[in-house]
Amino acid sequence: MDPDTDAPLLTIEDLRPIARWAADCAERALPIFTAKAPDDTRPCDAISASRAFADSGIRTAALRTIAWAAHAAARDVGDPAAAAAARAASAAAAAAYTHPIATRHQLNHILGPAAYAAHAIALRAGDTTGPGEAEIRRAIAQSPPEVRQIVQRMPGRAPGKGQLGGLFLQLEMGLRR
């Protein structure tokens, strides 16, 4: 519940633009995964499932299973950049399961697809921050107003470490503006 309004913080309809934006962000890193594992469709399936939910699909156990499968693909691929791309896809499918409570952890579910996609792009470029930061700026610019409004209602994330933590922070700060 939102303490200021006594309304739920998130409804299923609130999650749809999050899922659509998440799928868009994750899809940008998908070629990094498919270059390493062209026969593994789990991350692509997760992005498709996220889009189906965003387009008025039903939130079912199958969607959760698809998200976990993409997460397993990240473990299986054996390449850090490809693993980050698969995590972005997994997080995109899992966005439909963001809980309607204002916690730092739930904020991670919203930010994860864009942050992991940017991390995959940075790792592919040789672990430099420039390409990842550029991808974060693109994700911020492409975010719908609904995503920004929800992020602004959530508490701030705990500081992260390393390049990925920096990308999460840059994304969060950009969406709060």
Side-chain angles (χ1 to χ4, degrees):
M1 298 294 261
D2 183 338
D4 295 331
T5 66
D6 283 337
L9 181 66
L10 295 170
T11 67
I12 292 293
E13 292 309 311
D14 292 328
L15 295 174
R16 294 189 193 286
I18 292 171
R20 183 172 291 105
W21 178 70
D24 290 346
C25 292
E27 190 170 54
R28 292 184 49 83
L30 186 60
I32 297 168
F33 180 85
T34 57
K36 294 293 180 181
D39 297 329
D40 190 339
T41 64
R42 293 175 290 180
C44 183
D45 295 344
I47 292 169
S48 294
S50 182
R51 285 196 195 291
F53 170 76
D55 293 336
S56 299
I58 298 171
R59 187 170 71 170
T60 66
L63 181 58
R64 189 178 297 253
T65 300
I66 289 168
W68 281 115
H71 189 73
R75 286 191 313 267
D76 295 344
V77 73
D79 175 81
R87 282 187 193 96
S90 174
Y97 289 95
T98 303
H99 296 296
I101 53 177
T103 68
R104 291 174 171 176
H105 180 73
Q106 297 311 310
L107 181 59
N108 286 342
H109 287 296
I110 296 168
L111 302 177
Y116 278 111
H119 190 55
I121 290 166
L123 290 172
R124 183 188 62 185
D127 204 20
T128 63
T129 57
E133 290 176 356
E135 187 62 19
I136 291 294
R137 288 190 300 274
R138 190 215 57 80
I140 292 165
Q142 298 299 313
S143 67
E146 299 92 340
V147 170
R148 289 174 179 266
Q149 291 164 0
I150 291 165
V151 167
Q152 290 166 3
R153 294 187 336 229
M154 296 283 209
R157 287 182 71 254
K161 295 180 182 174
Q163 182 186 56
L164 181 59
L167 293 170
F168 265 101
L169 179 63
Q170 182 183 357
L171 178 60
E172 178 186 358
M173 294 298 103
L175 291 172
R176 288 188 184 280
R177 286 190 223 132

